[in-house]
């Protein structure tokens, strides 16, 4: 039965696309640790898709196929990390190509882009998200091959209009890549809005349990650029381990429940603390006061995500103090897990960071929201 097209995404996620093992009837996919795959009659590969473990592994398929289905993509590829997935895209460009990316985005990727591009003959220009025309002005016709956006983006949760960026990309004959780690396919499907490739750090919401580092790309089309990306993965070997791939398919079964709970709790927390006297600002796209609220309402369905930031009056030391006083929120980096985390972002990004020093980034998990509110209340008291 081809259930993928007719069933709701929640159903496909819960059942790992109605997985039933044809050999045993098991409803959970097996883990295949083999690094090599045998040949049979006429020296032909027994399974034409599988020859050597750096190219592919059958354990990837449930996670890749589910993600492709959730994103409305033609194909998806699993990588060893979100960064490895992003690097595979950039390494598929040619020297002389031009990249446009936002000034505020996942800092590890921004830093790597700026350093790598300078060394490898790629030009990169960073545009200001607050200026609606900055993206189209940053594009260089005939040279720009890649437009990179992240929405909502780290750690201010600015929202980028994906459909408008896709129009800019089409006009420039560039590829639009959307880092959709924060929104997940539960809240936004960038390919339907015109994106060419969707990237996720699967380390975050897709796996959701803080126990896998992985990344994934999903493509609107199996074109020659996508083939190059697949070659970069198999030659470079930035592949996930089979156990990680298996954990990821298990984590994704509860993706919808987790993301919806995190989003609902984040909304409640954002509203609760919006006018708190110790806070200079609450940054959350679900709040009417947030600059990206109207676009977010248009392109996100069923919630505004589980990430928000607080700007604490009193600056850097006051902000670090709040994080240290928390008893339920765990002071740690990363995001998108079932447990809530709080982080002083500037401490990890350092002096090159454009992030305000008074900013705390909160990843809202699935705990009871009253416990989270009480914890922040006492930490801010
Ligand atoms: C974590 C993260 C990345 C990097 O992913 P890794 O899995 O840590 O390599 C990229 N983009 C966003 C938005 C992230 O949160």
């Amino acid at each position: 039965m081809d259930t993928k097209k007719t069933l709701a995404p929640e159903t496909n996620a819960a059942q790992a696309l109605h997985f039933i093992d044809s050999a045993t009837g098991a409803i959970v996919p097996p883990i295949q640790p083999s690094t090599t795959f045998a040949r049979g009659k006429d020296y032909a590969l027994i399974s034409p898709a599988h020859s050597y473990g750096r190219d592919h592994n059958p354990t990837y398929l449930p996670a890749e196929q589910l993600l492709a289905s959730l994103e409305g993509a033609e194909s998806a590829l699993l990588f060893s990390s979100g960064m490895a997935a992003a690097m595979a895209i950039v390494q598929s460009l040619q020297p002389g190509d031009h990249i446009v990316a936002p000034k505020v985005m996942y800092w590890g990727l921004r830093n790597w882009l700026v350093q790598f591009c300078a060394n490898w003959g790629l030009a990169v220009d960073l545009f200001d998200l607050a200026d609606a025309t900055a993206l189209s002005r940053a594009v260089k016709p005939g040279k720009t091959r890649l437009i990179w956006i992240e929405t909502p983006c780290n750690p201010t949760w600015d929202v980028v209009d994906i459909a408008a960026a896709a129009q800019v990309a089409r006009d420039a004959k560039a590829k639009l890549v959307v880092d959709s780690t924060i929104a997940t396919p539960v809240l936004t499907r960038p390919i339907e809005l015109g994106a060419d490739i969707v990237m996720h750090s699967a380390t975050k919401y897709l796996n959701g349990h803080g126990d896998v580092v992985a990344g994934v790309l999903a493509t609107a089309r199996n074109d020659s650029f996508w083939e190059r990306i697949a070659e970069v993965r198999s030659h470079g070997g930035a592949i996930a381990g089979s156990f990680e791939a298996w954990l990821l398919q298990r984590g994704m079964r509860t993706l919808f429940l987790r993301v919806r709970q995190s989003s609902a709790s984040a909304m409640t927390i954002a509203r609760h603390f919006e006018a708190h006297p110790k806070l200079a600002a609450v940054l959350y796209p679900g709040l009417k006061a947030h600059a990206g609220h109207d676009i977010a309402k248009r392109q996100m369905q069923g919630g505004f995500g589980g990430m928000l930031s607080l700007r604490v009056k009193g600056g850097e030391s006051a902000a670090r103090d709040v994080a240290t006083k928390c008893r339920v929120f765990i002071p740690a980096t990363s995001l998108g897990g079932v447990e809530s985390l709080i982080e002083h972002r500037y401490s990890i990004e350092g002096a090159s960071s454009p992030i305000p020093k008074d900013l705390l980034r909160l990843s809202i998990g699935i705990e009871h929201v009253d416990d989270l509110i009480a914890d922040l209340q006492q930490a801010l008291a």
Side-chain angles (χ1 to χ4, degrees):
M1 176 167 66
D2 184 8
T3 54
K4 289 168 243 174
K5 296 210 164 49
T6 52
L7 295 174
E10 290 87 339
T11 308
N12 286 329
Q15 299 195 343
L17 294 172
H18 204 71
F19 183 87
I20 300 170
D21 188 86
S22 56
T24 65
I27 64 163
V28 172
I31 301 177
Q32 179 49 264
S34 187
T35 56
T36 189
F37 298 85
R39 292 165 185 273
K41 270 207 306 280
D42 308 324
Y43 203 66
L45 286 163
I46 289 173
S47 162
H50 298 111
S51 150
Y52 182 57
R54 187 168 13 83
D55 301 321
H56 216 275
N57 180 307
T59 319
Y60 300 166
L61 285 176
E64 289 180 341
Q65 288 173 346
L66 176 60
L67 192 90
S69 148
L70 297 180
E71 291 289 4
E74 221 159 59
S75 303
L77 282 171
L78 194 54
F79 288 83
S80 55
S81 70
M83 285 295 285
M87 286 183 183
I89 297 174
V90 176
Q91 288 171 339
S92 299
L93 296 170
Q94 305 288 340
D97 287 350
H98 179 239
I99 304 172
V100 176
K103 277 187 186 147
V104 174
M105 61 186 277
Y106 180 72
W107 75 292
L109 185 53
R110 184 192 60 228
N111 287 354
W112 177 81
L113 269 180
V114 169
Q115 286 160 24
F116 178 89
C117 291
N119 291 337
W120 288 84
L122 293 161
V124 61
D125 276 311
L126 303 177
F127 71 96
D128 185 356
L129 280 172
D131 176 350
T133 62
L135 169 59
S136 52
R137 282 187 284 113
V139 167
K140 295 181 177 158
K143 281 211 161 294
T144 304
R145 291 281 169 260
L146 190 68
I147 296 176
W148 189 283
I149 60 173
E150 177 183 325
T151 182
C153 80
N154 255 295
T156 51
W157 320 115
D158 284 314
V159 179
V160 186
D161 186 332
I162 297 172
Q167 187 59 51
V168 173
R170 268 196 303 277
D171 291 347
K173 297 194 166 54
K175 298 280 185 196
L176 176 68
V177 179
V178 179
D179 180 341
S180 199
T181 299
I182 305 304
T184 79
V186 176
L187 306 176
T188 307
R189 276 179 303 282
I191 287 174
E192 285 173 7
L193 298 167
D196 296 291
I197 294 176
V198 181
M199 175 244 152
H200 291 276
S201 167
T203 314
K204 315 294 171 52
Y205 290 102
L206 294 185
N207 179 60
H209 293 76
D211 49 16
V212 169
V213 174
V216 65
L217 299 178
T219 183
R221 281 167 302 280
N222 291 334
D223 56 11
S224 57
F225 189 63
W226 183 251
E227 278 165 25
R228 277 215 295 282
I229 290 171
E231 277 172 23
V232 168
R233 187 185 78 165
S234 65
H235 293 155
I239 49 162
S242 51
F243 186 55
E244 282 72 17
W246 184 87
L247 276 174
L248 177 58
Q249 68 76 33
R250 182 164 80 166
M252 284 171 76
R253 289 180 185 243
T254 55
L255 177 68
F256 282 79
L257 289 178
R258 290 185 286 100
V259 168
R260 284 180 181 149
Q261 182 60 57
S262 295
S263 296
S265 295
M267 187 76 231
T268 305
I269 292 168
R271 284 209 178 111
H272 187 93
F273 289 96
E274 196 177 6
H276 194 284
K278 294 271 178 75
L279 295 176
V282 174
L283 307 178
Y284 186 63
L287 294 176
K288 283 200 186 70
H290 192 276
H293 181 66
D294 288 338
I295 304 168
K297 250 189 353 203
R298 232 176 23 243
Q299 76 184 17
M300 301 181 82
Q301 296 99 40
F304 298 93
M307 297 301 298
L308 67 137
S309 294
L310 308 177
R311 295 191 62 179
V312 182
K313 284 185 185 163
E316 185 171 1
S317 65
R320 263 207 296 260
D321 216 35
V322 171
T324 311
K325 280 189 189 150
C326 283
R327 297 288 169 262
V328 180
F329 278 87
I330 300 171
T333 193
S334 199
L335 59 95
V338 290
E339 61 290 284
S340 294
L341 304 177
I342 188 164
E343 180 185 28
H344 182 243
R345 222 26 228 171
Y346 185 85
S347 293
I348 198 163
E349 296 196 14
S352 71
S353 169
I355 302 312
K357 292 182 183 171
D358 60 4
L359 184 143
L360 292 172
R361 188 180 82 172
L362 275 58
S363 171
I364 306 302
I366 62 167
E367 305 94 333
H368 199 294
V369 71
D370 292 351
D371 287 338
L372 300 175
I373 288 175
D375 192 37
L376 289 172
Q377 204 103 46
Q378 65 80 27
L380 283 164

